[in-house]
Amino acid sequence: DQQVKQNSPSLSVQEGRISILNCDYTNSMFDYFLWYKKYPAEGPTFLISISSIKDKNEDGRFTVFLNKSAKHLSLHIVPSQPGDSAVYFCAARRAETSGSRLTFGEGTQLTVNP
Amino acid sequence: DSGVTQTPKHLITATGQRVTLRCSPRSGDLSVYWYQQSLDQGLQFLIQYYNGEERAKGNILERFSAQQFPDLHSELNLSSLELGDSALYFCASGRGVPTGELFFGEGSRLTVL
């Protein structure tokens, strides 16, 4: 049962343009959503998150939008830079008493062309 | 540098063998999580420990086991290895803060021949 899905395995954009990465989920008990970025030979690194009580969170060039009714979130990167080329994972959390396991999507490979 | 240390970085072994992967969490983090990433797949949750106790189990095979020691480092034991166990194994730690952020190590790449 894939509770978090990223339907686009890859995305290619030009430098300076907007990158939009999408993610869908099925479990309405998720209360926090996160985006991680992963470079080759490195572990995933946290990028940005959003609580289920909000619909937008912005951090510099990165903005995450949450549409709870559609169970959909997206990550916008504006403007895109070649250094943003990486695999982006969407993740969701269902709060636990002592820590929080994350459920990950399959990832989207973003390539930003100079 | 996430502060999470994993060893070894690479491991090549044969089918039927047993290996142990080690993880040291960030200072102050009580929770350790193990994830498996097979080729072109997302990260699959295996198991979580909190302060030495098993807290949650995911899709972990019976051939796999883990533990967290009093100094909070964790080990993931993989036995009777099969070709399909070849994957990246990530350890993550966290404090359960409201954002749910986890910090990942660089992973251990296991190749079973």
Side-chain angles (χ1 to χ4, degrees):
Chain A
D1 175 24
Q2 189 67 27
Q3 298 185 56
V4 178
K5 280 196 72 64
Q6 295 175 254
N7 291 313
S8 298
S10 63
L11 174 68
S12 183
V13 300
Q14 286 299 120
E15 181 178 5
R17 306 295 291 268
I18 184 172
S19 295
I20 301 177
L21 297 99
N22 294 302
C23 178
D24 297 295
Y25 63 96
T26 58
N27 191 336
S28 58
M29 298 301 291
F30 289 140
D31 68 342
Y32 243 95
F33 301 89
L34 304 89
W35 285 92
Y36 278 78
K37 179 167 71 172
K38 184 182 180 305
Y39 292 117
E42 294 184 10
T45 56
F46 171 74
L47 191 58
I48 192 170
S49 65
I50 187 168
S51 164
S52 60
I53 63 173
K54 300 194 172 191
D55 55 19
K56 177 182 175 181
N57 187 29
E58 196 170 350
D59 183 2
R61 298 185 297 113
F62 302 91
T63 303
V64 56
F65 295 92
L66 175 62
N67 183 333
K68 281 186 67 176
S69 61
K71 291 190 173 69
H72 177 84
L73 65 154
S74 60
L75 174 68
H76 292 210
I77 306 173
V78 183
S80 301
Q81 300 173 354
D84 296 330
S85 297
V87 177
Y88 289 78
F89 289 100
C90 168
R93 184 195 82 156
R94 178 178 173 174
E96 307 284 348
T97 304
S98 55
S100 46
R101 62 183 268 191
L102 299 178
T103 300
F104 284 84
E106 306 93 327
T108 297
Q109 171 70 58
L110 172 65
T111 302
V112 180
N113 301 303
Chain B
D1 182 7
S2 67
V4 178
T5 304
Q6 287 188 250
T7 57
K9 284 190 170 31
H10 301 276
L11 193 54
I12 301 174
T13 188
T15 55
Q17 295 299 302
R18 182 180 190 274
V19 299
T20 297
L21 309 179
R22 183 188 168 102
C23 169
S24 294
R26 284 191 325 158
S27 176
D29 286 353
L30 300 180
S31 284
V32 169
Y33 305 76
W34 286 97
Y35 284 84
Q36 178 193 54
Q37 185 185 21
S38 300
L39 190 63
D40 293 333
Q41 300 281 315
L43 287 84
Q44 300 295 319
F45 171 72
L46 295 178
I47 197 164
Q48 177 204 352
Y49 278 83
Y50 177 79
N51 202 20
E53 293 188 4
E54 181 185 303
R55 193 52 64 111
K57 248 182 177 178
N59 299 323
I60 187 167
L61 300 171
E62 285 191 12
R63 300 183 286 108
F64 295 0
S65 65
Q67 55 183 324
Q68 187 180 27
F69 295 86
D71 66 354
L72 300 178
H73 91 270
S74 177
E75 292 181 356
L76 179 66
N77 301 296
L78 315 175
S79 62
S80 301
L81 286 168
E82 302 175 359
L83 297 178
D85 297 328
S86 296
L88 262 173
Y89 292 86
F90 288 103
C91 169
S93 71
R95 292 181 185 148
V97 294
T99 57
E101 181 181 348
L102 297 184
F103 297 85
F104 284 81
E106 294 184 346
S108 293
R109 180 173 293 282
L110 173 65
T111 302
V112 182
L113 300 177

